[in-house]
Amino acid sequence: MDNYKIRLTKQEMLIGSITGMVRHIESLESGRKLRFPEQYPNQSLLNHQLGSLSEMAYAKMVNAYYSHSVNTFHVADIGDNIEVRYSNMDKLKVRVTDKDVYVVSMSGTLPEFTYNGYIWCEDAKKSEWSKDYNNQGKPAYFVPLTELIT
């Protein structure tokens, strides 16, 4: 399943974007700080929406239920053990705190998303992949997409 493309319908794009917007508003209302400073206005809103849409695209690809969850931190996005991460970088971010999950890489933009592969979180925790970009005190593992299982 090398670089599989998933195209969302108009209804899927609307619902996924709304879920992302709700996540963003909940984050604002609860006073959560951004993990990284925005590089342009409303970047966080767009990130929430693209994250939600990529989760929806992955669920569609594997024919799984997508719950449109909000405020369910450290809980799998799909099923019991699948964490979906959206990024257009050439690396998949695996957090130090990820535990007992497969981490899936998704990229792209509306209306089409790309499945890049996955890795078991513990297999991603190699010292050579550990980085703390911008010295934010938030290290993570950045796995090259070429190292993912497709």
Side-chain angles (χ1 to χ4, degrees):
M1 212 181 281
D2 205 8
N3 287 351
Y4 188 78
K5 305 280 185 190
I6 306 97
R7 188 171 199 80
L8 298 178
T9 66
K10 178 181 178 181
Q11 292 84 359
E12 290 166 337
M13 289 187 284
L14 286 168
I15 298 296
S17 293
I18 290 169
T19 299
M21 181 179 62
V22 171
R23 288 177 180 179
H24 181 70
I25 291 168
E26 287 293 319
S27 178
L28 291 173
E29 285 296 304
S30 64
R32 277 193 292 284
K33 293 189 178 231
L34 298 175
R35 288 191 179 136
F36 300 99
E38 288 186 327
Q39 297 176 13
Y40 53 86
N42 295 312
Q43 180 182 9
S44 181
L45 169 60
L46 182 59
N47 287 345
H48 279 107
Q49 289 175 312
L50 289 170
S52 171
L53 288 158
S54 68
E55 291 166 17
M56 177 182 276
Y58 179 78
K60 180 177 184 175
M61 182 185 86
V62 298
N63 198 28
Y65 174 72
Y66 177 57
S67 69
H68 298 274
S69 63
V70 176
N71 292 340
T72 54
F73 306 105
H74 308 290
V75 174
D77 296 320
I78 308 294
D80 294 329
N81 63 352
I82 298 172
E83 181 68 29
V84 178
R85 299 272 160 77
Y86 171 82
S87 176
N88 283 319
M89 293 189 337
D90 62 351
K91 296 174 181 61
L92 168 63
K93 180 180 180 178
V94 177
R95 294 187 180 111
V96 173
T97 56
D98 284 333
K99 184 178 178 189
D100 297 329
V101 292
Y102 292 96
V103 185
V104 170
S105 171
M106 298 291 289
S107 60
T109 190
L110 290 175
E112 191 171 82
F113 289 85
T114 302
Y115 165 77
N116 300 303
Y118 72 91
I119 192 166
W120 180 247
C121 65
E122 297 307 319
D123 293 340
K125 296 177 180 179
K126 295 183 178 182
S127 60
E128 64 263 29
W129 293 338
S130 179
K131 303 259 186 285
D132 184 3
Y133 286 107
N134 301 320
N135 296 314
Q136 298 271 333
K138 298 173 184 178
Y141 299 92
F142 293 86
V143 182
L145 297 184
T146 56
E147 298 293 324
L148 301 181
I149 299 165
T150 56

